[in-house]
Amino acid sequence: MNPTFPLTLEFKFSLLTELRVTDAEGRLVAVVKEKFFSVRDEVRVYADEARRQQTHGIRARGLMAGALDWRARREIRRLDGPLVGSLQARGLRTLWAASYELLGPDERVEFTILDDQPWMSVVEGVFDAIPLIGDVIALGFDYLVNPTYTVTDAAGQPAFRVRKRRSVFSRRFVVEELRPIRPEEAELVTLGLIQLVLRERERG
């Protein structure tokens, strides 16, 4: 998996969660399906539109981890078994702003992901708490205000930025390089940020 950045991650307008990932040249990178009716978060990644060729699986570690554990770790594995890495939420702070660590297969922190404007989540939460009219305000807020996330590498340098793009009927995110991606990072970064977008798609 070595796509050309920027990547576009777009949710299909559907009752089921399905995400399509394309690269800068318009090539399909992945089709992502979230498994429903599971006691823990589980995601399947495919290389083709027909979803016949599964390449990876992503699963929250531990029973009910995705729902109850604020430090839930979502492991990314190739279909043949090897661990690519994992995305781990950084505790209760993720309730009001995105805060994650992207770990390599040796469990070392390779990247840190933070919300660039955490105050927006607080404002949106206030709107959501207002009965009836709050839903209307939140809908407008959701369209007009779109969060960005900065991915910082282990050396403390900004490496990628994830932007939510304005959209009415679907949710679309763009992942931009802030420095050249190294070949050994491509698989972990692509799949880790897919998982980030799945977790953060309702925010902003």
Side-chain angles (χ1 to χ4, degrees), residues 181-198:
I181 188 170
R182 294 189 286 270
E184 64 271 19
E185 297 174 333
E187 184 179 21
L188 176 63
V189 168
T190 302
L191 293 165
L193 295 184
I194 284 172
Q195 186 61 214
L196 168 76
V197 165
L198 288 170

Side-chain angles (χ1 to χ4, degrees), residues 21 40 45 50 67 72-73 77 85 88 90 97 116 155 161 176 183 185 202:
V21 184
R40 56 183 173 180
V45 182
R73 181 177 295 185
R77 290 186 179 275
Q88 179 167 290
R90 299 174 71 191
D116 291 336
R161 182 158 289 124
E176 305 165 337
E185 297 174 333
E202 299 299 336

Side-chain angles (χ1 to χ4, degrees), residues 55-191:
T55 59
H56 298 81
I58 305 173
R59 178 180 290 185
R61 190 167 70 180
L63 188 65
M64 297 296 289
L68 301 177
D69 185 358
W70 302 116
R71 286 189 60 83
R73 181 177 295 185
R74 294 170 174 85
E75 295 182 336
I76 305 163
R77 290 186 179 275
R78 300 189 191 104
L79 195 60
D80 55 4
L83 181 68
V84 175
S86 54
L87 182 76
Q88 179 167 290
R90 299 174 71 191
L92 290 173
R93 70 185 71 183
T94 57
L95 287 175
W96 66 279
S99 183
Y100 297 90
E101 292 172 336
L102 189 53
L103 313 178
D106 56 2
E107 299 195 349
R108 289 190 300 181
V109 177
E110 299 292 339
F111 298 94
T112 300
I113 306 168
L114 295 175
D115 193 333
D116 291 336
Q117 297 168 308
W119 61 269
M120 291 197 306
S121 297
V122 177
V123 174
E124 186 178 16
V126 172
F127 286 149
D128 283 339
I130 303 173
L132 300 179
I133 193 172
D135 292 336
V136 176
I137 296 173
L139 184 63
F141 190 91
D142 198 36
Y143 176 72
L144 294 172
V145 181
N146 296 289
T148 64
Y149 311 87
T150 297
V151 183
T152 304
D153 63 23
Q157 298 300 312
F160 304 91
R161 182 158 289 124
V162 182
R163 299 180 185 274
K164 183 184 173 190
R165 295 301 191 190
R166 191 172 298 173
S167 180
V168 177
F169 295 112
S170 65
R171 296 182 184 273
R172 182 161 51 94
F173 295 78
V174 174
V175 180
E176 305 165 337
E177 286 180 303
L178 301 180
R179 55 106 164 130
I181 188 170
R182 294 189 286 270
E184 64 271 19
E185 297 174 333
E187 184 179 21
L188 176 63
V189 168
T190 302
L191 293 165

Side-chain angles (χ1 to χ4, degrees), residues 7-23:
L7 302 181
T8 299
L9 297 80
E10 186 165 9
F11 288 89
K12 292 184 66 175
F13 186 62
S14 169
L15 295 177
L16 303 177
T17 301
E18 183 172 324
L19 178 67
R20 191 173 185 271
V21 184
T22 53
D23 71 3

